[in-house]
Amino acid sequence: MGGVLRRYGPVLTAAILLAVAAWLLLLVVLPQLLMVDFSFRPSLPPSKAGGPEDVYTLRNYATLWTNQIHLAIFLKTIWASSLVTAVTLAVCYPVAFYMAQVAPRRRLPLLVLMLVVPFWINELLRTFAWYIILAFNGPLNALLVGLGLYSEPQRLLGGDAGVIIGMVYVYILFMVFPLMNAMESLDRNQIEAARDLGAGWLRIHRRIVIPHAKPGIAVGCIMTFMLAAGSYAVPALLGGPQSRWFTEVIYNWFFEGGNWNQGAAYAFILLILCIAFILLMMRLFRVGLTDIAK
């Protein structure tokens, strides 16, 4: 704070702090408080608002536990988002390690550019690209049939598999960059010393790389899980009736059912789930907010 004050002066620093505070208050705090207030109130016509029936209640929250269909979708969203996080971690870990510790420094900008360029395109367009790839008559089915793995095209859309594949691709950068950032600070001499002492690659990663990269793993898992659990476009485009996401249920309450109170309760439950996942990752990897901020 002192460095910012010396660099920008008291007037500009105060203006920056005021702008940040206004942004947090108007776009983060107040909408969340309004959502919480909505979630504890019954859905009433405007003529009954503020009347004797307009009281705080837990009925909107209890609906999730009494509606077996919505509860099943909620639980499916939890495990599917966890699976997306695990698959994304498995895919990104070797990529991040190669870029952070193996790739020559002169080649690194090109590798980063190759990762980033596809994400210059809108998320909807990238999801539509996977819709074409996974289509019944799409290139992936044509390749699988051409290689003789299948005798006829398979239904790859409309199920959980297509949604998970699409999410892993859409959110891959949110995993690979935190991992890469954490692994870059690892001294290569530690890896070379372990190899000289006879340690295999599996043991080197288990005893040296992974413990050092725990903050990056925690950040990547947190960001990927939260984005996956809160995604709407990917499951709506790549999924089907049997692979509905909890966000689709929330969307239906707000924009089709017209019950904002029930939608707010479901949205707040999803928010609590994401906060619980953050705390779980921090405890699992034994990292604090300071470690994550690095």
Side-chain angles (χ1 to χ4, degrees):
M1 181 63 187
V4 175
L5 185 61
R6 287 192 299 270
R7 182 175 181 179
Y8 296 108
V11 177
L12 185 56
T13 300
I16 293 174
L17 292 177
L18 184 61
V20 172
W23 181 83
L24 289 174
L25 180 64
L26 297 176
L27 299 181
V28 179
V29 177
L30 289 181
Q32 294 296 331
L33 292 177
L34 186 61
M35 183 185 72
V36 173
D37 181 70
F38 269 38
S39 69
F40 285 106
R41 293 180 180 272
S43 180
L44 298 172
S47 60
K48 294 185 178 181
E53 298 180 34
D54 191 7
V55 295
Y56 287 109
T57 176
L58 295 175
R59 187 183 308 165
N60 295 323
Y61 290 90
T63 300
L64 178 62
W65 314 112
T66 57
N67 190 317
Q68 296 303 313
I69 296 177
H70 289 177
L71 181 60
I73 294 174
F74 176 70
L75 296 176
K76 192 283 293 289
T77 300
I78 295 176
W79 77 257
S81 299
S82 302
L83 181 59
V84 168
T85 304
V87 173
T88 308
L89 176 60
V91 171
C92 293
Y93 183 89
V95 175
F97 179 77
Y98 176 80
M99 295 177 64
Q101 293 292 331
V102 179
R105 297 295 94 181
R106 65 179 183 277
R107 193 182 302 172
L108 187 58
L110 177 61
L111 296 175
V112 173
L113 186 64
M114 292 173 62
L115 279 174
V116 172
V117 164
F119 290 82
W120 292 353
I121 303 173
N122 184 273
E123 179 181 338
L124 285 175
L125 295 179
R126 284 185 277 119
T127 306
F128 268 120
W130 274 104
Y131 185 91
I132 297 172
I133 293 172
L134 299 174
F136 187 77
N137 294 319
L140 182 57
N141 262 316
L143 177 63
L144 295 175
V145 173
L147 294 175
L149 298 178
Y150 292 108
S151 58
E152 59 184 16
Q154 303 294 310
R155 292 276 179 193
L156 302 177
L157 289 173
D160 292 331
V163 175
I164 291 172
I165 292 173
M167 284 192 177
V168 169
Y169 173 74
V170 168
Y171 303 129
I172 194 171
L173 289 187
F174 296 95
M175 179 69 76
V176 71
F177 282 143
L179 289 175
M180 179 181 167
N181 183 58
M183 292 177 181
E184 276 183 332
S185 60
L186 175 63
D187 189 351
R188 295 189 184 186
N189 292 327
Q190 297 185 41
I191 299 177
E192 296 298 330
R195 293 180 62 184
D196 293 340
L197 293 173
W201 277 111
L202 183 61
R203 191 173 186 183
I204 289 174
H205 283 276
R206 182 169 58 88
R207 299 291 297 273
I208 298 176
V209 181
I210 292 178
H212 183 84
K214 284 194 299 183
I217 296 174
V219 171
C221 290
I222 288 171
M223 296 182 67
T224 304
F225 179 87
M226 293 181 64
L227 289 169
S231 176
Y232 176 79
V234 177
L237 293 175
L238 301 181
Q242 303 301 321
S243 60
R244 295 185 68 197
W245 222 251
F246 195 61
T247 48
E248 296 179 86
V249 178
I250 296 174
Y251 178 90
N252 290 338
W253 280 122
F254 273 103
F255 299 103
E256 294 183 8
N259 192 338
W260 284 34
N261 304 82
Q262 188 66 66
Y266 276 22
F268 193 62
I269 291 173
L270 185 62
L271 176 62
I272 294 174
L273 168 66
C274 292
I275 294 174
F277 186 84
I278 292 174
L279 298 177
L280 175 63
M281 288 295 102
M282 292 174 62
R283 183 175 182 86
L284 181 63
F285 291 100
R286 297 179 182 178
V287 295
L289 292 176
T290 303
D291 298 318
I292 292 177
K294 294 179 181 179

